[in-house]
């Protein structure tokens, strides 16, 4: 005669409600993701660039930010979604634009962009600032600055207002001639800073200010915010888009599986269906008012983002690193129903620095570049339910006890998990010269495929003697006038034969054996110099920053000690890689070079429940395909480990338990309504 206790029903109802909310939020997000108008304008030609800046100088007074990027550039892809979010946040306050340096060479060379990404900030057609690199904080600070500048100067005094002001306060000045003069002095009739000052001056003189209006009113019916969007503009609504969550994603190919695959949750599913239908009906009604979806060049979709479990339950699998190893592990773990969390900056792995084609990945003999391969991998993992966090792991507390989760520290939070797949890859090594730091972004680079194009028809140097150096040199030789390889030994013993041969036979490549770089030399271009430069100043470039430009490298022969100077405009460092294992120091066993030790044939590390895959544990093969292979192995190892230790989905178990209780409760209530006292009935039958 067991009667179920309902002691846990209070808290479990709360949790169930949260589950409902989570699922509904997801639905809303999916349905709400009806594209928006382009938040980021793509400037395809120099004409568009000039027109945009002139338009906002002459008409709206809005600040303009321009992002110079290229497809082959990992950091560019990484910052792109943040840039877009910022554009959303500052809609109608700042104009966001981008220039694909490969597509619009005229603008990028005229602006002398030397590394990607580079951001420029304009107000009233004048450049206020420029920086290179994916510095989100600086970007945010400048967006906010441009927005408040705009707000302060968003003032207009119409000629009529000025005329009636004078008629009232100084009738003798209300002449056409004087009005012309005053308007001209205030910078024309369009409004802006001159009008703001005029209003201030009049107020000071007469004690009252003239009537002012907004120079640019985003809510006004034909407040076109792009000169060239005229035709499309008419279809645009002034209403903001539906507030969709940051994790919005496409509706079509995304099943709701991860949150709803609980077989016993019919009730939940029915409710969800109902809400979905309601939302869809609403959308249909609103249909005609849908924002015009414009093609803004390429799509930067966002993936399902990780949110911490509200009850602090541990995850089953967390994968650190979103390169080929991590994403392959994610595909396998997701398909095993483990709902893996992938932690790491997206589009940041080594393959993302490969702008040339990946030719050795079986099945991918279609023209596809490194970043595109990684992107496809991420989409595939997402499709099966992997979720993503784009933070870095800064430290870990690994647990030696089964059942007690490992803790991974992120920037602002932490994640606990029963198993971990470490797939943090490796990073380029630098020479470590002081001048190297100085010229990074001004001629010194570790990624030919990212920055090589900027040295078109110029002379460059590549340092190193392995496959990476060979590839970089060959890539650069397709566009630069001359490539010199500087290698400290006198053979390419570390490079693969075919690549070394191609290098040796290439007419544009020269090799300096037994040689090292001992210094980078250049000069500092001050803002004044840049200003005098006719190429630099199409828009009156008012830069405040010094620019360091590489002009030569100083070389030394390793055998004779002889020194020489080689004039170059670009230097590419390709001297190998260091595994990204610093967050695991002291906790996982690694070799002298810092690679994680995995006693094969498995991906197990020195700590239970922690597995390693890809370049982080492989100093020998270091390929996308081998990384993907060990990634799959690590996911299978993690899955088996969870099975062996009887660790299940804690959230699912909790929800099932709660649902059972709620259903039992409803059943009792229904019986009570029907006049049957279940306890009585029980006792009678007893
Ligand atoms: C220029 C170049 C060209 C190449 N070309 C080819 C090729 O044609 N074919 C081929 O097979 N291989 C190629 N490779 C090698 C290939 O890119 C690597 O073998 C492969 O990317 C390794 O995959 P991975 O997942 O182990 O590591 P990675 O691709 O390096 O990815 C590691 C990921 O972990 C992240 N990460 C690092 N630290 C942390 C942390 N603390 N927290 C969170 N995340 C972190 C990184 O951001 C990165 O996204 C090339 C490499 C380079 C550099
Ligand atoms: C539809 O329009 C109404 C009123 O304009 C609004 O409240 C509602 O949020 C819109 N729904 C969707 C899904 O866009
Ligand atoms: C992470 O923390 C560092 C300081 O510890 C900070 O500089 C950085 O901006 C943080 N990044 C994010 C994404 O919060
Ligand atoms: C490089 O230096 C080694 C000795 O350090 C010497 O044996 C070799 O001949 C040199 N090679 C060239 C090409 O100068």
């Amino acid at each position: 005669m067991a009667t179920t206790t309902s002691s846990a029903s209070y808290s479990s109802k709360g949790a169930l409600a949260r589950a409902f909310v989570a699922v509904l939020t997801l639905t809303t997000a999916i349905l709400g993701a009806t594209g928006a108008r382009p938040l980021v304008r793509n400037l395809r030609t120099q004409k568009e660039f000039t027109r945009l800046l002139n338009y906002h100088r002459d008409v709206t007074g809005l600040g303009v930010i321009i992002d110079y990027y290229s497809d082959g550039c990992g950091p560019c892809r990484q910052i792109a979604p943040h840039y877009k979010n910022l554009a959303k946040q500052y809609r109608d306050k700042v104009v966001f634009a981008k220039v694909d340096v490969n597509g619009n060479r005229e603008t990028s060379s005229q602006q002398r962009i030397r590394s990607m990404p580079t951001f420029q900030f304009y107000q009233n057609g004048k450049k206020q600032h420029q920086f290179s690199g994916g510095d989100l904080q600086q970007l945010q600070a400048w967006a906010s600055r441009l927005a408040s500048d705009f707000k302060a100067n968003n003032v207009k005094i119409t000629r009529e207002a000025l005329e009636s002001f004078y008629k009232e306060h100084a009738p003798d000045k209300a002449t056409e001639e004087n009005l012309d003069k005053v308007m001209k002095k205030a910078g024309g009739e369009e409004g802006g800073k001159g009008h703001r000052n005029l209003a201030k001056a009049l107020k000071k003189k007469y004690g009252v200010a003239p009537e002012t209006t907004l120079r640019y009113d985003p809510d006004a019916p034909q407040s076109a915010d792009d000169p060239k969007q005229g035709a499309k503009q008419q279809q645009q609504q002034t209403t903001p888009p539906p507030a969709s969550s940051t994790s919005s994603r496409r509706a079509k190919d995304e099943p709701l599986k991860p949150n709803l695959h609980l077989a016993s949750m019919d009730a939940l599913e029915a409710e969800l269906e109902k809400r979905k239908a309601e939302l869809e009906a609403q959308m249909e009604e609103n249909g005609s008012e849908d924002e015009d979806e414009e093609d803004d060049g390429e799509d930067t979709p966002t993936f399902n983002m990780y949110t911490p479990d509200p009850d602090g339950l541990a995850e089953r699998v967390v994968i650190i690193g979103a390169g080929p190893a991590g994403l392959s592990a994610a595909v396998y773990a997701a398909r095993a129903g483990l709902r893996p969390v992938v932690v790491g900056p997206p589009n940041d792995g080594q393959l993302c620095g490969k702008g040339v084609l990946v030719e050795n990945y079986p099945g991918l003999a279609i023209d596809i570049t490194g970043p595109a391969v990684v992107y496809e991998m991420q989409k595939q993992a997402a499709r099966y339910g992997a979720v993503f966090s784009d933070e870095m792991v800064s430290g870990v507390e690994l647990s030696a006890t089964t059942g007690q989760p490992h803790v991974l520290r992120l920037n602002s939070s932490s994640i606990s998990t029963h198993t971990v797949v470490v797939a943090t890859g490796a990073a380029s090594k630098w020479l470590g010269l002081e001048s190297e730091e100085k010229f990074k972004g001004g001629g010194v680079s570790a990624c030919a495929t990212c920055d090589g194009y900027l040295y078109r028809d110029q002379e460059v140097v590549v340092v190193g003697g392995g496959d990476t150096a060979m590839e970089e040199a060959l890539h650069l030789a397709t566009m630069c006038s001359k490539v010199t390889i500087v290698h400290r030994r006198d053979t390419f013993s570390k490079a693969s034969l075919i690549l070394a041969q191609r290098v040796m036979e290439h007419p544009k490549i020269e090799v300096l054996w037994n040689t090292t770089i001992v210094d980078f030399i250049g000069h500092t271009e001050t803002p004044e110099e840049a200003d005098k430069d006719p190429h630099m100043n199409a828009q009156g470039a008012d830069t405040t920053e010094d620019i360091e430009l590489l002009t030569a490298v100083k070389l030394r022969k390793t055998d004779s000690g002889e020194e020489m100077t080689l004039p170059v405009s670009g230097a590419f460092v390709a001297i190998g890689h260091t595994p990204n294992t610093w967050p695991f120091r002291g906790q996982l066993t690694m070799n002298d070079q810092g690679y994680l030790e995995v006693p094969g044939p498995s991906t197990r590390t020195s700590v239970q429940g922690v597995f390693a895959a890809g370049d982080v544990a492989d100093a020998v093969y270091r390929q996308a395909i081998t990384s993907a292979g060990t990634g799959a192995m690590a996911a299978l190892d993690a899955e088996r480990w969870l099975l062996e230790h009887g660790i299940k989905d804690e959230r699912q178990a909790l929800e099932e338990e709660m649902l059972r209780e709620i259903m039992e409760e409803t059943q009792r209530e229904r019986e009570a309504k029907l006049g049957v006292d279940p306890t009585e009935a029980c006792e009678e039958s007893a």
Side-chain angles (χ1 to χ4, degrees):
M1 278 311 90
T3 40
T4 336
T5 63
S6 58
S7 64
S9 79
Y10 170 72
S11 69
S12 41
K13 261 187 205 159
L16 187 66
R18 273 201 297 274
F20 261 110
V21 171
V23 172
L24 290 174
T25 312
L26 180 64
T27 322
T28 318
I30 292 169
L31 293 170
T34 58
R37 67 183 123 132
L39 291 160
V40 180
R41 306 256 182 270
N42 190 3
L43 304 176
R44 293 181 179 85
T45 60
Q46 174 66 12
K47 211 166 147 196
E48 283 182 22
F49 170 83
T50 317
R51 200 146 62 171
L52 184 86
L53 288 180
N54 290 347
Y55 180 78
H56 292 292
R57 179 192 64 198
D58 299 337
V59 181
T60 68
L62 287 163
V64 178
I65 306 181
I66 300 173
D67 170 10
Y68 295 84
Y69 72 100
S70 83
D71 271 348
C73 149
C76 299
R77 282 178 172 254
Q78 199 184 329
I79 194 124
H82 296 291
Y83 191 64
K84 209 164 184 177
N85 275 338
L86 217 54
K88 203 179 278 174
Q89 189 187 333
Y90 284 99
R91 184 192 278 267
D92 291 329
K93 298 189 183 82
V94 178
V95 175
F96 286 72
K98 61 182 180 183
V99 170
D100 176 354
V101 298
N102 292 309
N104 180 357
R105 298 207 163 133
E106 205 185 340
T107 300
S108 53
S109 67
Q110 188 238 34
Q111 292 295 312
R112 302 216 302 184
I113 302 304
R114 312 268 308 190
S115 79
M116 263 89 70
T118 290
F119 295 94
Q120 292 183 332
F121 303 84
Y122 291 87
Q123 191 101 52
N124 295 318
K126 284 207 159 200
K127 190 165 82 184
Q128 309 291 319
H129 182 61
Q130 162 171 335
F131 72 85
S132 297
D135 183 347
L136 185 57
Q137 269 180 8
Q138 203 179 152
L139 196 53
Q140 282 164 336
W142 271 89
S144 148
R145 195 160 149 178
L146 291 186
S148 53
D149 263 13
F150 162 70
K151 198 174 160 210
N153 293 315
N154 191 16
V155 174
K156 181 172 175 172
I157 303 169
T158 61
R159 202 184 161 91
E160 293 74 47
L162 187 66
E163 189 175 3
S164 60
F165 177 86
Y166 277 138
K167 276 189 177 146
E168 192 176 330
H169 299 282
D172 57 311
K173 291 194 172 160
T175 64
E176 287 297 312
E177 197 187 334
N178 187 52
L179 288 176
D180 279 347
K181 205 179 91 195
V182 175
M183 272 296 170
K184 195 171 163 213
K185 214 177 144 199
E189 302 210 3
E190 277 302 338
K193 199 167 183 170
H195 285 221
R196 178 180 154 205
N197 291 339
L198 175 62
K200 262 197 214 158
L202 292 175
K203 171 125 201 263
K204 203 169 159 200
K205 190 159 174 195
Y206 299 101
V208 261
E211 188 200 333
T212 61
T213 50
L214 289 182
R215 175 184 186 181
Y216 167 70
D217 179 3
D219 295 327
Q222 355 78 322
S223 57
D225 62 342
D226 189 315
K228 102 180 204 315
Q229 308 286 338
K232 283 175 173 173
Q233 191 65 43
Q234 288 164 359
Q235 304 163 18
Q236 274 183 11
Q237 300 301 308
T238 49
T239 45
S244 61
S245 92
T246 48
S247 62
S248 64
R249 33 178 225 173
R250 312 252 130 192
K252 292 140 243 154
D253 52 335
E254 306 274 358
L256 285 167
K257 281 294 182 209
N259 288 293
L260 269 183
H261 67 165
L262 312 181
S264 56
M265 297 186 84
D266 292 355
L268 223 173
E269 249 167 320
E271 173 65 18
L272 183 67
E273 279 306 315
K274 211 176 94 202
R275 292 295 305 260
K276 220 167 88 183
E278 278 172 21
L279 267 167
E280 261 162 7
Q282 241 189 60
M283 298 262 306
E284 213 122 279
E285 268 172 40
N286 292 7
S288 55
E289 286 169 30
D290 259 6
E291 298 246 347
D292 181 20
E293 180 160 7
E294 287 175 35
D295 179 27
D296 66 341
E298 98 252 23
D299 205 12
T300 353
T302 40
F303 293 99
N304 233 7
M305 297 311 281
Y306 163 78
T307 45
D309 187 284
D311 298 314
L313 302 176
E315 301 295 334
R316 281 169 294 169
V317 182
V318 174
I319 296 158
I320 313 177
L327 293 170
S328 300
V331 169
Y332 272 74
R335 287 178 55 87
L338 297 172
R339 213 180 82 103
V341 182
V342 180
V343 184
N347 314 309
D348 184 46
Q350 297 166 74
L351 213 52
C352 292
K354 191 179 171 83
V356 291
L357 303 179
V358 174
E359 294 168 338
N360 53 11
Y361 199 101
L364 289 186
I366 45 170
D367 293 352
I368 188 164
T369 59
V373 171
V374 176
Y375 177 63
E376 289 301 321
M377 288 177 176
Q378 189 177 4
K379 277 208 306 210
Q380 189 174 354
R383 190 180 314 143
Y384 295 111
V387 297
F388 299 87
S389 158
D390 51 17
E391 287 194 47
M392 291 285 278
V393 170
S394 58
V396 295
E397 283 142 40
L398 301 179
S399 154
T401 320
T402 305
Q404 186 187 322
H406 308 290
V407 179
L408 312 179
R409 272 198 306 277
L410 309 185
N411 221 16
S412 49
S413 60
S414 56
I415 305 185
S416 60
T417 174
H418 291 291
T419 68
V420 179
V421 174
V422 179
T424 47
S428 305
K429 271 189 198 158
W430 293 93
L431 293 170
L433 301 170
E434 205 176 294
S435 50
E436 184 177 54
E437 253 342 284
K438 194 164 119 191
F439 291 108
K440 270 185 199 169
V444 175
S445 166
C447 182
T449 48
C450 309
D451 301 338
Y453 139 78
L454 301 165
Y455 305 93
R456 184 168 284 272
D457 301 325
Q458 299 174 45
E459 302 195 358
V460 297
V461 64
V462 173
V463 200
D467 268 348
T468 314
M470 301 300 109
E471 278 205 340
E472 304 247 291
L474 287 166
H475 175 71
L476 290 164
T478 62
M479 56 185 96
C480 298
S481 53
K482 188 182 170 201
V483 180
T484 307
I485 296 181
V486 170
H487 185 39
R488 63 191 160 127
R489 299 185 209 291
D490 66 351
T491 57
F492 288 139
S493 52
K494 280 191 178 169
S496 53
L497 194 61
I498 184 151
L499 286 175
Q501 245 164 16
R502 267 194 234 166
V503 162
M504 303 293 284
E505 285 162 9
H506 202 291
K508 279 192 189 171
I509 303 177
E510 188 191 339
V511 183
L512 295 179
W513 305 107
N514 285 351
T515 310
T516 57
I517 290 192
V518 289
D519 202 9
F520 294 100
I521 303 164
H523 81 277
T524 307
E525 186 157 282
T526 61
E528 294 74 48
E529 281 174 305
D531 250 6
K532 278 191 213 108
D533 190 326
H535 296 296
M536 197 70 180
N537 209 16
Q539 293 301 323
D542 248 4
T543 177
T544 50
E545 316 284 296
D546 286 357
I547 309 167
E548 307 283 355
L549 295 179
L550 184 77
T551 54
V553 290
K554 195 168 172 192
L555 305 175
R556 183 182 294 147
K557 298 290 278 181
T558 52
D559 38 9
S560 64
E562 184 194 337
E563 290 194 348
M564 59 183 268
T565 303
L566 179 72
V568 287
S569 39
F572 293 85
V573 180
I575 53 168
H577 294 88
T578 316
N580 296 320
T581 47
W582 57 269
F584 313 100
R585 252 176 234 150
Q587 304 210 35
L588 292 176
T589 308
M590 35 187 103
N591 71 12
D592 310 340
Q593 296 170 66
Y595 286 91
L596 296 183
E597 292 203 332
V598 279
S602 89
T603 61
R604 265 180 288 122
T605 65
S606 54
V607 173
Q608 54 98 38
V610 180
F611 307 89
D615 284 9
V616 75
D618 171 17
V620 181
Y621 303 105
R622 299 199 290 112
Q623 293 299 300
I625 184 70
T626 52
S627 299
T630 50
M633 285 162 65
L636 292 169
D637 283 345
E639 185 187 0
R640 186 166 310 139
W641 189 92
L642 288 166
L643 205 65
E644 276 169 12
H645 293 87
I647 294 170
K648 299 216 177 75
D649 183 348
E650 295 181 14
R651 167 122 315 260
Q652 177 177 352
L654 182 71
E655 279 170 4
E656 275 172 346
E657 162 92 350
M658 288 178 320
L659 195 75
R660 202 166 45 243
E661 281 167 12
I662 289 174
M663 280 179 162
E664 278 165 5
E665 210 168 282
T666 331
Q667 180 68 19
R668 273 198 298 279
E669 273 166 21
R670 197 180 305 147
E671 281 168 357
K673 261 204 201 121
L674 291 173
V676 190
D677 182 343
T679 14
E680 235 169 59
C682 261
E683 271 159 18
E684 263 168 34
S685 72

